[in-house]
Structures are given as C-alpha cells and as structure tokens.
Amino acid sequence: MGSEFDADTSVETTVPGEYTAAVTDRWHALAGPNGGYLLAICLQALREEMPHPDPLVLSAYYLRPAQVGPAGLRTESIRSGRRTSTAQVAMVQEGRERMRALATFGDLGRAESRRLLLERPPALPPPEDCSDFARGAIQHVSIADRIDYRFPQMPGWVHGEPGGQQRMEFWMRLRDGREPDLLTLPLMVDAAPPVVLDFDVTESATVELTVQLRARPAPGWLACRVTTRAVLNGLHDEDFEIWDSTGTLVAQSHQLAVLP
Amino acid sequence: MGSEFDADTSVETTVPGEYTAAVTDRWHALAGPNGGYLLAICLQALREEMPHPDPLVLSAYYLRPAQVGPAGLRTESIRSGRRTSTAQVAMVQEGRERMRALATFGDLGRAESRRLLLERPPALPPPEDCSDFARGAIQHVSIADRIDYRFPQMPGWVHGEPGGQQRMEFWMRLRDGREPDLLTLPLMVDAAPPVVLDFDVTESATVELTVQLRARPAPGWLACRVTTRAVLNGLHDEDFEIWDSTGTLVAQSHQLAVLP
C-alpha cells in the first residue's frame, strides 16, 4: 500500500503542461487545506516538466483559499539550462487561480567538495522522551493525524496560556512511516502550528512561502526549528529549518503571513 | 537633481503591461548588474500595475545574467483583492528572459494594534566610528560607489585572510543622500558582499531572492545583519535583515545562490 502523502499529492496529466489533482481533507490546518500540502501537489506537476531531478527552491504565492475537490494545474517551463531549470505553476479550482509558484530545479546529487554546516540542529531529547503533540487534539486539524510532532516542552498556548516564545524546537515525521524526501519537505515546513499562537493570535494565513531544499534527507525523524522575528502592520514572518537524522540541514523556509 | 537610484530604476510604459528601462553600469557587483538593482527596476513596473501602495513581498528568480543596456518588462496582474494584490513581472533583454518575479502588495500604513519586535537590531557603534568599506577598493564593483557601507570590523577576506565568520553586521545608506524607502530596500538586501567570501569563496550567483518588506523605513542609516547557514551541494543560503534608524525591522530577505 502506498503512503497517504503520495496518494494525496499525485497528479495526472491530460495535455502537455496541464495536470489534474484532487485536494483531500486529510491535510487540513485551522482554515482548510494546508499551504505546504498544496505546494507539494504543485511540486508533483513541476517535476514532470523539469529536466533536472531535484527542486532547489520554490516560492508559492497564495491567492485565495483552496477547497477540497478537484484542481487543475498549469505549468510553464521558463528556462532550461545546464545546471538548473526554472518553471512556473498555477493551481486553479472552479476557474479561479488559488496559488501560483515559481521553482528552480537542479541536481543535489552532484559531487561537491565544499560542505559547511554553520548552524547547529536543535538539541532535542530523543523523540521517545517527547510528547506526542495534538493527535486529535484540535478538531478539523486533520494534518495532525498524518504528522507525528514530538515536543520536548509543549508551547504555552496548548494549555491556554500563551507564553510569548518566538521559537519552537521539535521533531516531525509522517505517521504512516513514509520516509522524508524532497517531495515531503515542502509540506513539512508549513505543517507546524504557527509560532504566533504563543502570542495570543488565533489565526494566520500564508501570503507567501519560499522553501529552499538543501540536501536529500536521510530516513528517520526530522529535527525542526521555527522562529518568528516580528509581528508588524498586520503581518508576521516565520522561518523554518529542518535537519535530517544525520544532522544535515535539508530545508529552510521563510513565509510571510497575514493576521485576520 | 533627482537621485541616481531613482534615475537608474525608472521605467517608461509603452502599452499596458509593458515597460522599458535602462540597466546602467552604476550598480555592478562582481559579475555585472546587481540582482537587487534589477529587482528594484522590476518593482517600478509592478507598482504601476498594483492598486495597493506597498510591496509586502517579492520573489525573484534569476535566469540569465542581465547586461547593461535597454530592457523590456512585462507585467501580469494575477489577483486584486481588498487587502492585497499579486502580480508577476518578467525582464527581457535581446529577446531572452533574464529574470522573473512574483510580488504581493498591500498597505503598510494600516493602523494595527499588534506590534512585536522579537529580534534585536545589531549592536553597532555609531557609523562615524566605523570604517567606510570598499569605496573604489574593488574594481568594477560600482555599487560600492553608490552605497556607503560602515563596518565596525572589516571581514577577514578584505585583507586576504578569510576568517570563517558566518555573520556580518554593519551600516548601509545611499551615498547621495537618497533616504531609504520600500523601493530602495530590495536593492539594499542584495547589495552587501556575500558572507561566503570569508570562507575563501570568490564568486556567487543568486538563483532566487525573496524580500519581505515589513515597514516603511524612517530616514537615516540602516542597521544590517547578514547570515549564511550552510554551503551544501554547490549552493549557499544568505539571510538579510535591515532595521531603520528607529529600531524597526523594515526588511528581511532570503536567497539561494550557486557557487561557480
């Protein structure tokens, strides 16, 4: 049996540059389908178009909320070079564009001599010693039924007492045993509850999300760090870093989100 | 007399959604026109299209090196909503697309009650007590003739001794007295020498640059912090943060760049 992630992000092609997909209700955040999940669907269409194997960076602009149901995807190859290639994708539902993304692909399997990891992964106790966060705890947040979050310490807002922490560190993996790869990471970087919940904010909607994919992840748990630097003019940022089980920085993301 | 920045980023419109500009040789980094300068030109075209006054976030994908000379810009309005609007722009020279960008605009002048600055600006000595970096020091890097950089300590690579520092903190402003605003910040976030020079790297080319604009900056010097977290698989990241003279975080950027 395949994984839920692979089934729920699969695309079918009809004519060149056009794809269909089905947005399911299994990856809901507070306000409906999670933005990282939608980006993971877009990525499936993009990789069909690209001559290079690996997404290096993706930037998604969220235009309107997506709905559960069929979606169309239109891709456009912008440039295809020796070392990288770039394309665009739009997701459309009921005739209205829901999101648009740009992406550059390359090859993360190239032999490269320089390797500098200048930022340490979070120092976390083993996942077994952490709390399983939020399984079924928040109604309609079905993404928590698919992703296993392990927090060494629960953020204050979980107990109704926002503690004003600008940073969370924790483990993540898919519950069904599907190992991480470059396809799942764009989901993962948007899958955690927003840091601003610990500042008594109850909702947040992503305007833009950029994901940098730095290395093909090894199997196992992912160590995560998420940070917000400012809430200003009705918007907040959120930076996400993921290290794999070998301690390699495999993904970084940056988003700008709007408060209701 | 207007500022060099305003003159060198101005666009003229011919037909709706089409603009012309001139890329000058006055904003060169090591390998030609600076990516932030090119994005500032794109932004001039985008703002003509957008019903909202302020760019909130821009993501630029660099496809091919741009050249000094005329450039065409094509914009496409993607969505226009109550609170935000989103558009796309492509820069073309000699029939070849050089870069493409997505951007969302809004209004940073809205009255908002929440204001949380969770990250402190760098603790820098006054600009007068810092060294004026690189004026005319590096040939062909004409951007250093336009921007005044003030470093409390020069990075080691300047003296031919790379010191392996992953972070630089310094002041910046335009030399001709043009005050910062939301148009100049996308240039500023890409205008500093890359951090990786301090790791004995001699060249770096931006693949993707996303800029989040958080507030309209006050006049005066800009306090900057730039950080690289990993050099991996032939690529490096670079995060940039800018605070204005009142201590407000006004811009954050994130880029992925390729090593030669």
Side-chain angles (χ1 to χ4, degrees), chain B residues 27-254:
Chain B
W27 307 87
H28 271 28
L30 284 167
N34 171 265
Y37 166 53
L38 301 171
L39 182 55
I41 295 174
C42 289
L43 177 53
Q44 292 284 5
L46 285 168
R47 65 197 284 254
E48 298 290 326
E49 300 286 321
M50 296 280 86
H52 292 89
D54 301 321
L56 303 180
V57 54
L58 303 99
S59 299
Y61 280 68
Y62 296 91
L63 306 168
R64 299 176 181 88
Q67 303 162 351
V68 172
L73 298 145
R74 280 195 308 263
T75 59
E76 175 199 350
S77 175
I78 300 172
R79 173 185 172 269
S80 194
R82 186 183 54 80
R83 192 158 167 192
T84 62
S85 45
T86 301
Q88 177 177 297
V89 63
M91 179 184 283
V92 178
Q93 289 186 306
E94 294 179 352
R96 307 182 82 185
E97 192 169 336
R98 308 292 163 146
M99 64 186 290
R100 187 177 295 203
L102 291 168
T104 290
F105 279 58
D107 184 353
L108 290 173
R110 282 165 50 112
E112 294 287 348
S113 51
R114 297 302 298 264
R115 182 183 166 91
L116 299 168
L117 294 172
L118 305 171
E119 199 87 359
R120 295 196 159 278
L124 294 166
E128 311 82 71
D129 298 342
C130 294
S131 312
D132 183 347
F133 170 76
R135 184 167 200 168
I138 311 174
Q139 236 176 347
H140 309 305
V141 181
S142 57
I143 198 168
D145 297 328
R146 312 269 108 63
I147 297 179
D148 195 343
Y149 306 88
R150 298 291 176 95
F151 279 73
Q153 289 170 305
M154 285 295 184
W157 63 265
V158 175
H159 314 294
E161 290 169 11
Q165 293 295 316
Q166 72 161 137
R167 184 165 290 126
M168 295 192 303
E169 297 182 339
F170 52 93
W171 299 103
M172 267 204 295
R173 69 173 178 190
L174 288 171
R175 288 191 189 273
D176 71 359
R178 163 70 156 88
E179 293 292 356
D181 63 13
L182 298 172
L183 300 175
T184 66
L185 292 176
L187 161 70
M188 294 309 222
V189 296
D190 193 43
V195 170
V196 289
L197 296 182
D198 214 36
F199 291 89
D200 215 8
V201 166
T202 54
E203 223 179 305
S204 147
T206 305
V207 172
E208 184 270 342
L209 170 67
T210 291
V211 191
Q212 300 173 356
L213 299 158
R214 307 302 307 276
R216 299 176 183 161
W221 284 94
L222 300 168
C224 305
R225 178 183 295 143
V226 54
T227 310
T228 286
R229 293 187 162 77
V231 178
L232 265 176
N233 296 308
L235 297 148
H236 72 87
D237 61 282
E238 187 168 283
D239 292 348
F240 211 107
E241 293 160 284
I242 300 183
W243 287 262
D244 71 4
S245 58
T246 72
T248 298
L249 180 66
V250 293
Q252 291 162 278
S253 81
H254 309 285

Side-chain angles (χ1 to χ4, degrees), chain A residues 146-169:
Chain A
R146 311 269 111 62
I147 298 179
D148 194 345
Y149 306 89
R150 299 289 177 96
F151 279 73
Q153 289 170 306
M154 286 292 183
W157 61 266
V158 175
H159 314 293
E161 290 170 10
Q165 294 295 317
Q166 72 160 138
R167 184 165 291 126
M168 294 191 304
E169 297 182 341

